[in-house]
Amino acid sequence: MAAVPAMAKTHPVPLEKNVDAAKCLECHEDKSKGKAVHSAIATGCLSCHEVRVTKDVTRIKLTTTTTQALCLSCHDEKKVQPGQTMHPPAVRDCVKCHDPHESDNPNQLLKPTFGATREANLCLSCHKIGFDTPKGGSRHAALDMGCDTCHVTHKNGDRGKIEFAAHLKKAVPALCLDCHDANAALQKSHMGQPFGAANCMQCHNPHQSAKPKLMQTFLHNPFENKMCDSCHQPAKDGKVVLTNSDSRALCVTCHDDQAKKIETAKVPHPGAQGECISCHNPHGGKSPGFLQPDPVSACLACHSEQADQMKKAHRHQPAAIQGCATCHEPHGGENGHLLRAATPNKLCLECHGPDANPQKVEGEHLVTIFDGKVKLPDDYFRKVTTLPIKYGRGHPTERHPVSDVMDPSDVTKVLKAVNCLSCHQPHSSAQPAMLVKDQANNMTFCMACHTNLTQ
């Protein structure tokens, strides 16, 4: 995510090399007036701009190569820290939201952060939220109060926590309870069950929903159909009371197929042998399976090594956003590392291969892969690179092998083992191409195998 270079522009009027800010303000006085004026204006135009005079041509440029670098030279506290998260425009392009001189809006914003249209609301310039609530659906009234009612653009923190991942002013449910008093009416609507420490966004969409009461996209059948007493007894002393001795015993009364899979898996997943609600929310969520707090963090809570990998600059979308279960069997499987395919190539080419064939789910905005076992958003494959592979060759250059190279003298023997993991990391990398050992995409990397190139 490179920032836009600060290109030098030709000034319409010739200037002297030693021009000062007073001369600039003779024409640009409007830049120093407004309801919200950038404090840097007081330090003079040349604190940010540089005048270059070559013969009879005057050019004006920023004192740094990018606008981001210039802004951070004063606003160092806005710099995103490694492994943490911040609203993307705030990371790379300050002037996408701010006027660098003056504005009628606080913090020199180009537009206000409230309003129901793209023309009125700065946030809606990028985010399509609250526009298309379906008939019979619901829309959060807080949208009309302005996006900054709940969100803080420059909040910088652990991407594994919802407070920072969603750029919220504070964690939930504390943020929700600022407006929604935990009174008798709210308790009644939750069937008297305690919710004071719950993650409201597991059951409710904070913006809009196709369902009433802002209910999430995916809901557990007993919860959606108000069959609460099939799992719950009345709460006691402010605590949840189940109809079974524990959550696992309760879940397997309906999901005995998953219990059998966990018990008989050739490669077991230790995490699946504990309480089901350690990973799944029993009511609903933003993704199939109701993983909590999300399909990635649910796994990273135990897998600390992979959690460290998620701090790298470039992350594989399935691993970092979609969810670990895109590639791994969460309840146990037949293959090493709980992979959904027997070989790395077969796994990767399910999405990246020329024969990738995601199947649409009738009546839902979803597609499936791995014979229907994995559900993905219907637009998922718009950004997936399809590799032009034929007969085990063709990436990254024509005729380059992507599968094992056999010995010409004995085709039953492997001369050189080659698969996707020979060159790529599956989770993340410090470099864009996600090459092994965080190496850059250059000839030095190729020479690790092609030693003859150095001779």
Side-chain angles (χ1 to χ4, degrees):
M1 297 186 292
V4 178
M7 303 297 290
K9 292 186 177 181
T10 302
H11 196 263
V13 179
L15 296 173
E16 299 293 334
K17 290 183 179 180
N18 58 351
V19 67
D20 58 16
K23 183 67 176 176
C24 300
L25 293 175
E26 289 179 10
C27 294
H28 302 288
E29 187 180 11
D30 59 311
K31 302 296 184 184
S32 64
K33 295 181 179 179
K35 292 181 180 178
V37 178
H38 191 192
S39 57
I41 297 292
T43 65
C45 306
L46 299 181
S47 61
C48 296
H49 298 280
E50 180 181 327
V51 177
R52 288 189 175 184
V53 179
T54 305
K55 295 183 179 180
D56 58 346
V57 178
T58 300
R59 291 187 175 87
I60 308 295
K61 66 177 289 291
L62 297 181
T63 57
T64 59
T65 55
T66 64
T67 54
Q68 178 203 30
L70 179 61
C71 297
L72 292 180
S73 65
C74 289
H75 301 283
D76 184 62
E77 77 283 359
K78 306 296 185 187
K79 185 177 181 180
V80 65
Q81 302 301 315
Q84 297 190 340
T85 186
M86 187 184 281
H87 190 220
V91 175
R92 65 181 184 269
D93 193 3
C94 309
V95 295
K96 190 170 185 177
C97 298
H98 298 276
D99 187 296
H101 302 106
E102 60 80 30
S103 170
D104 288 336
N105 305 301
N107 301 312
Q108 295 97 245
L109 290 176
L110 298 177
K111 298 178 187 178
T113 57
F114 56 86
T117 66
R118 290 180 183 273
E119 291 71 29
N121 190 325
L122 176 65
C123 303
L124 297 183
S125 302
C126 296
H127 299 282
K128 188 179 179 182
I129 292 174
F131 286 134
D132 53 357
T133 304
K135 185 178 180 180
S138 50
R139 181 179 181 275
H140 197 186
L143 292 177
D144 299 324
M145 298 166 61
C147 303
D148 56 0
T149 304
C150 298
H151 297 280
V152 181
T153 305
H154 291 278
K155 195 159 188 174
N156 187 11
D158 182 357
R159 60 167 61 99
K161 295 181 179 179
I162 190 66
E163 177 182 356
F164 302 106
H167 322 298
L168 301 177
K169 279 189 170 181
K170 60 176 73 171
V172 290
L175 178 63
C176 306
L177 292 174
D178 281 348
C179 294
H180 300 279
D181 292 332
N183 54 27
L186 196 63
Q187 291 174 9
K188 183 180 178 181
S189 67
H190 289 80
M191 305 298 178
Q193 296 294 330
F195 59 87
N199 177 359
C200 308
M201 296 199 307
Q202 286 292 154
C203 297
H204 299 279
N205 187 305
H207 300 113
Q208 65 181 35
S209 172
K211 300 180 175 71
K213 304 289 186 183
L214 291 170
M215 285 298 170
Q216 272 294 3
T217 306
F218 301 96
L219 298 175
H220 194 199
N221 180 58
F223 174 74
E224 184 174 20
N225 292 293
K226 299 183 179 180
M227 300 158 54
C228 305
D229 56 0
S230 64
C231 299
H232 293 278
Q233 294 182 27
K236 186 176 181 180
D237 299 328
K239 295 181 180 180
V240 172
V241 180
L242 301 177
T243 55
N244 287 66
S245 57
D246 57 70
S247 67
R248 185 180 181 84
L250 176 60
C251 296
V252 300
T253 58
C254 293
H255 302 285
D256 61 325
D257 56 326
Q258 296 297 339
K260 290 175 182 176
K261 186 174 183 179
I262 292 168
E263 293 168 3
T264 62
K266 181 179 177 181
V267 180
H269 182 199
Q273 296 169 5
E275 291 286 320
C276 304
I277 59 172
S278 297
C279 300
H280 300 276
N281 186 281
H283 302 117
K286 292 183 285 187
S287 61
F290 329 127
L291 288 163
Q292 62 178 355
D294 58 70
V296 177
S297 300
C299 302
L300 299 185
C302 292
H303 297 279
S304 57
E305 182 181 344
Q306 279 69 33
D308 287 339
Q309 290 185 32
M310 291 301 105
K311 296 176 182 178
K312 294 182 180 180
H314 302 276
R315 298 172 293 154
H316 194 198
Q317 204 270 9
I321 299 173
Q322 202 60 46
C324 308
T326 307
C327 300
H328 298 276
E329 291 272 13
H331 296 116
E334 299 298 308
N335 306 307
H337 302 288
L338 298 170
L339 294 177
R340 290 191 179 274
T343 65
N345 280 15
K346 189 173 182 181
L347 180 77
C348 300
L349 297 181
E350 181 76 12
C351 290
H352 295 285
D355 300 321
N357 186 29
Q359 298 295 308
K360 289 186 177 180
V361 179
E362 193 67 30
E364 297 185 56
H365 295 293
L366 296 170
V367 295
T368 64
I369 56 175
F370 292 116
D371 297 324
K373 295 178 182 177
V374 175
K375 294 180 179 180
L376 301 168
D378 58 358
D379 62 350
Y380 179 80
F381 281 85
R382 290 180 186 175
K383 297 182 180 179
V384 173
T385 302
T386 300
L387 304 177
I389 296 171
K390 272 190 176 182
Y391 311 116
R393 294 175 178 270
H395 174 72
T397 61
E398 187 180 359
R399 292 184 290 180
H400 189 281
V402 297
S403 56
D404 293 345
V405 178
M406 309 309 291
D407 189 337
S409 61
D410 185 352
V411 293
T412 64
K413 293 183 179 179
V414 175
L415 180 66
K416 178 70 175 178
V418 179
N419 60 54
C420 301
L421 298 183
S422 300
C423 296
H424 297 282
Q425 299 180 81
H427 298 112
S428 64
S429 174
Q431 301 288 342
M434 296 187 68
L435 299 178
V436 295
K437 298 180 181 178
D438 292 342
Q439 295 179 75
N441 185 10
N442 54 32
M443 290 303 295
T444 302
F445 177 79
C446 299
M447 288 174 187
C449 291
H450 299 280
T451 54
N452 58 315
L453 294 175
T454 61
Q455 297 174 353

